[in-house]
Structures are given as structure tokens and as C-alpha cells.
Amino acid sequence: MSSKAAGSRGVGAAVHSQAMHFHARAAERVRNPVLQKALQKAKPLFVGKRAKGVASLADDGLDFELLRSTAESIRNRVLADLDVWLDIFETRARVSGAEVLWARDGDEVARLVVDIAQRYGVTKAAKSKSMLSEEAQLNEALAAAGIRPVETDLGEYIVQLAGEAPSHIIAPAVHKTIGEIEALFAEAHGRPEQPRTSADIPAMTQEARAVLRQHFLSAEMGISGANFLIAETGSAALVTNEGNGRMVTTLPRVHVVVTGIEKIVPTLEDFSTLMRLLPRSATGQTISNYVSLLTGTRREGDQDGPEKTVFILVDNGRANLLGSAWQDMLRCIRCGACMNHCPVYFSLGGHAYGWVYPGPMGSVLTPLYTGIENALDLPHASTGCNQCGVVCPVRIPLPKLMHGLRETQVERGLRPWRERFALRAWAWVARRPALYRWLTRGAVRYLRWLVDGSGRIRVFGMAPGWTDGRDLAAGSGKTFHELYAARKRA
């Protein structure tokens, strides 16, 4: 499965990635009791709501697996002729009055946005959630140019106050407790800190709303991402659960959409199909609170809307995946279902992954976008349970892609020599059945010997790192061959 697409991206995205420090960051976060409390509270909500959302499809006479296959087909159809659909989108968007620009990487995104802001005398930019702007380090670039970026999605606003990156693509502040958020609000809003419980969440939300409203009214530029780009109409589709998305895209006189080239869908009908899956997979809703189709600029007689609309369509490593072993990853619709069901993600949180995309999707995207040599541990951040593959609404085979990245690492000699030696030794033993059976008999009996009074293995003596953050289930003390032979005799 090796491919040049998994090679180095050089500087750029890799400069800002901390993925090479995954092990150290993971060890720190698995021992953080505050983080663990926040994560364990959030996980059942994500999983339960998605299950209910998927089950509700049957009430409408729809088959979830058939919808998944249809969505996969839509995304594959786009990727097969991506250049054609991008040309169609550009033509339709320009006809509607929008400007379309192209960016090779994050640095070029930042330069283009700063140039637009300076051209229109922008001093403040209100932002709706955009993961691609995180790829481009856009907030830092705007601030360096004297332009104040204000995140207006509530979760993004919280992590901006904390000076942190989002830890989840749907719920950026999922790692924060109510107490931590209260402390941030008290400091930022200039008031005394108060004890808070979950009953106070509506009041805290209203407090943030009052502060952000002033930014909506005073920002000269709005910056958003796009969940999809509709080729048929030249529109950006924005799917949110907060009204900030509409405020950012209609109140400022300049609106800039920053999104990846893979976000194209051919028609509004295709968009409607994907929308049956996106909110259910992300938050369990049948439809999000706000679904906006943004086309062109303000026309005569319109009450709101930007005077200037600019689409910045970004590559940043995406084009390299076309036609490669990793093309399936471009089907991703950024729902977050893979991380919501991932035991590794909910043991560590998103910041352990060290770059923009956490969880299983990040374990594939980060090595592909920043260079596999800059994210050696991420393809191994998996239990192999395939929960991510089972819940992905567009059937991305995430475990298979992670396995392929591991193979590429071995082929390029990027794994530690001890690991490569151990794999060669295992292969040598596996080709000698009698020796393999003798060694496995010894290994399973050793594992049984490690079991303590609780019936679990709490410390794995030969590799204690395996049990730093988990216990291992006790085995029977017999190999598969021994169990099978005993069953045949019975």
C-alpha cells in the first residue's frame, strides 16, 4: 500500500505539528484526572445520540446502509473527476458575483486572507468554525498583520480564550470542564469567578452570546469554512448548531470561505443525501439547527449579505492523495463519528494527536498532510477494533489505511531498529510451526501467571507500558490449538 502520497510534505504544515511527540503527550493526558472526567462524561452522549439518530432513519422508511453506499458513491464520483467539478464550481460561483482563489498550502491561505483584509481596511475578522483555518494557522497570521480574529463558535471561543487548539472537530472544547470554562469567562469578561454546575450552562451561554454579539456587529470581515461546495449552483453549504455561522456570513461586508478542494458535491440533490447522514453521524440530530446555502454577494433589494464574497479553495496535500492508495480518505465529510467511537481518542483527548485532526481520521490525515516521518506514532494509535470503520458514514476503511501507513513506515526504515528486529524474529518463528507452538504455549502460561486476585493483568512485566493506562483481560492459559484439540476430544 505504499505511495508517494505518504511521503514528506517538507516544511509548512509539519512546522506546526506536534505529532512526533504523541507518546509523551498521550502519557501526560491519560494521567490528567480533570481531562479524564470531561472525556468520560462526553463519550456516552456522542455514542448514544448517534445510535438514536441512525435508528430514526427507519421511521422515514430509509435504510442506513443503503444511504452509506449512496454517499460513498457520490464522494467517489467527485474524486474521479475532481478537476472537472472544481471548474464547474468556479464558473458558477463567479457568475453569482463571487471571487474564486486557489491556495497550494496553509501559508498561501494566510497570505491571501491577509491581503483581502488589508485591501478592504479590515481591523477585525469574525470567524465561524473552520478546521482548514487551523491547518493554515490563520489566526496567528491575522494577528501578526494587526487584524483581530475572533472565534464565534462557542467551543472555538472557549479554546481561543484558553490559548489552545480545538480538541475535537465538532466539539472543540469537549476537553474542558464547566469549572475551567467559568474561570476563563470570569477572567476574559472582567467579573468575579462563581461556582457553576450544569444548571448554569444556559446562563454561561447567554453571557458568551452578549459578548460575541458586539463582535458580529463591528467585524468588517467574516471567515467561515464550508461543509460542502455545490458545483451546480456555485454555493457554499454551512451546517451549524449555532446562529454564529449566519451572523459571520451575512453581517460583515466581506465574507471569505476557506475550504478544501475535496469538499465539492455535484448537485443539491447529492447534498441533500449527504445531509441525511452528516448531522446524524456528528450529533445524532436528524438535521442541524442551521443549514445555510451561501451563493454570491448581496443583490439589489437584499436586506443582508456581504458586498464581497471570496472562495479560497485549498490543496495543502489533498491533490497528492488522488489516485493513490489513500484516496478514500478524501471522502471524509468531517462528521467526527470516528473519534466519537474511538477508545484511544476517549482515553487521551484530541490534543495528544498534536495537529489539527485527532482520532482515527487524524491518525491517517496528519501523516499524509505533514509527512509520515513527522507523525510516526499516529498510525499505531489504534486498537484495531474497527469501530471507526463501522460508523463512518462514507465507508472510509480507516484501520486499513492506518495499516498501510505502518507498512510504508517499515518499508522506508522509519520504525525503531528494535521493533524491526522483533518483527523479523516473529516472522522467522512463524515460519517454523513446531517452534511457534512451543513458544506460544510458554507465552500464554506466562500471561496466566501475571493475573492477580482481581482476575486481570494489571502490570505486563515484559512491556509495562501496555498496562500504564489499562488492565488486560485474563486468558485461559491455553493456546488456540490446545483449546481446539480439547473441544474435538469432547
Side-chain angles (χ1 to χ4, degrees):
M1 256 186 102
S2 63
S3 166
K4 66 180 181 179
S8 172
R9 293 265 297 118
V11 294
V15 171
H16 306 294
S17 173
Q18 297 294 310
M20 280 297 287
H21 307 295
F22 174 77
H23 268 306
R25 294 164 73 95
E28 174 190 346
R29 282 156 177 78
V30 80
R31 293 183 174 87
N32 183 328
V34 177
L35 173 65
Q36 292 301 315
K37 179 183 177 181
L39 291 174
Q40 295 314 309
K41 185 176 181 180
K43 181 178 181 179
L45 297 177
F46 281 122
V47 173
K49 288 180 177 179
R50 177 197 170 274
K52 290 180 181 178
V54 169
S56 71
L57 285 167
D59 298 335
D60 297 329
L62 298 171
D63 181 84
F64 176 63
E65 294 303 326
L66 179 59
L67 271 176
R68 289 179 78 199
S69 297
T70 304
E72 178 188 9
S73 176
I74 291 169
R75 300 298 290 134
N76 283 340
R77 180 157 59 100
V78 166
L79 297 175
D81 295 295
L82 184 58
D83 55 341
V84 175
W85 292 113
L86 287 169
D87 282 343
I88 293 172
F89 173 82
E90 181 179 22
T91 299
R92 301 289 167 79
R94 290 187 188 280
V95 167
S96 71
E99 182 179 1
V100 179
L101 303 175
W102 304 83
R104 296 180 184 84
D105 54 30
D107 291 340
E108 191 165 5
V109 171
R111 287 196 300 272
L112 289 171
V113 175
V114 168
D115 177 67
I116 295 165
Q118 291 174 338
R119 196 188 323 158
Y120 288 91
V122 172
T123 59
K124 182 191 294 183
K127 294 180 73 240
S128 180
K129 183 158 63 67
S130 164
M131 299 312 294
L132 211 150
S133 76
E134 297 287 339
E135 288 185 44
Q137 295 280 297
L138 184 55
N139 284 2
E140 291 80 355
L142 288 168
I147 301 158
R148 182 182 179 186
V150 180
E151 297 288 354
T152 65
D153 173 272
L154 181 57
E156 293 276 352
Y157 176 64
I158 291 166
V159 296
Q160 186 179 36
L161 291 181
E164 298 174 351
S167 66
H168 191 288
I169 66 169
I170 300 299
V174 69
H175 60 290
K176 290 291 187 188
T177 64
I178 293 174
E180 289 177 314
I181 295 169
E182 164 61 18
L184 288 169
F185 278 14
E187 181 180 359
H189 302 161
R191 61 165 177 77
E193 190 173 338
Q194 308 170 40
R196 295 287 196 180
T197 67
S198 58
D200 297 307
I201 290 176
M204 296 172 71
T205 303
Q206 287 293 333
E207 180 181 337
R209 180 182 182 183
V211 172
L212 290 171
R213 182 166 292 274
Q214 302 309 310
H215 294 301
F216 291 131
L217 295 172
S218 59
E220 303 95 344
M221 172 187 280
I223 300 173
S224 75
N227 293 88
F228 301 103
L229 299 172
I230 316 298
E232 179 181 35
T233 60
S235 307
L238 196 61
V239 182
T240 70
N241 274 317
E242 301 174 29
N244 70 305
R246 288 190 177 170
M247 304 283 263
V248 163
T249 59
T250 57
L251 287 180
R253 67 175 186 270
V254 180
H255 175 212
V256 178
V257 181
V258 182
T259 193
I261 57 175
E262 83 283 12
K263 291 294 188 73
I264 293 280
V265 295
T267 67
L268 288 169
E269 184 176 353
D270 294 327
F271 168 63
S272 68
T273 298
L274 291 165
M275 278 302 297
R276 292 187 181 277
L277 292 170
L278 175 58
R280 285 179 168 89
S281 299
T283 56
Q285 297 165 282
T286 55
I287 192 168
S288 295
N289 291 336
Y290 298 90
V291 179
S292 305
L293 288 171
L294 308 166
T295 309
T297 56
R298 181 187 303 184
R299 297 170 179 81
E300 186 176 350
D302 288 347
Q303 299 300 310
D304 56 24
E307 299 169 10
K308 177 71 175 180
T309 298
V310 183
F311 291 97
I312 301 179
L313 307 185
V314 188
D315 177 2
N316 207 32
R318 289 155 172 80
N320 285 340
L321 305 189
L322 289 168
S324 77
W326 324 105
Q327 178 172 300
D328 287 346
M329 199 62 221
L330 293 176
R331 289 204 299 267
C332 180
I333 61 173
R334 304 295 195 268
C335 66
C338 61
M339 63 191 73
N340 292 343
H341 291 73
C342 177
V344 176
Y345 174 88
F346 272 100
S347 295
L348 309 175
H351 289 153
Y353 292 81
W355 199 54
V356 176
Y357 301 106
M361 63 180 295
S363 292
V364 178
L365 284 177
T366 300
L368 293 175
Y369 286 175
T370 71
I372 194 170
E373 70 281 6
N374 298 312
L376 290 176
D377 293 323
L378 292 193
H380 301 262
S382 168
T383 64
C385 65
N386 194 35
Q387 274 293 297
C388 53
V390 168
V391 299
C392 177
V394 287
R395 298 187 188 277
I396 299 172
L398 286 156
K400 178 183 175 183
L401 297 179
M402 282 185 264
H403 189 270
L405 287 168
R406 296 177 195 176
E407 289 180 344
T408 300
Q409 289 180 351
V410 172
E411 290 168 4
R412 297 185 184 177
L414 295 173
R415 299 305 304 167
W417 71 266
R418 290 183 181 85
E419 183 180 309
R420 286 181 280 135
F421 174 78
L423 287 171
R424 290 193 187 99
W426 181 87
W428 186 85
V429 170
R431 288 194 293 268
R432 291 157 176 81
L435 177 61
Y436 183 84
R437 284 195 292 270
W438 181 77
L439 288 173
T440 53
R441 279 199 301 270
V444 296
R445 283 157 177 77
Y446 170 70
L447 290 173
R448 188 65 188 174
W449 178 74
L450 290 175
V451 176
D452 64 11
S454 69
R456 305 184 73 77
I457 299 173
R458 297 194 181 275
V459 179
F460 188 20
M462 296 177 63
W466 277 80
T467 48
D468 276 351
R470 59 188 168 186
D471 297 337
L472 296 181
S476 66
K478 296 181 182 294
T479 67
F480 170 79
H481 283 100
E482 290 174 318
L483 293 170
Y484 182 71
R487 178 174 292 184
K488 285 185 69 175
R489 288 195 297 272

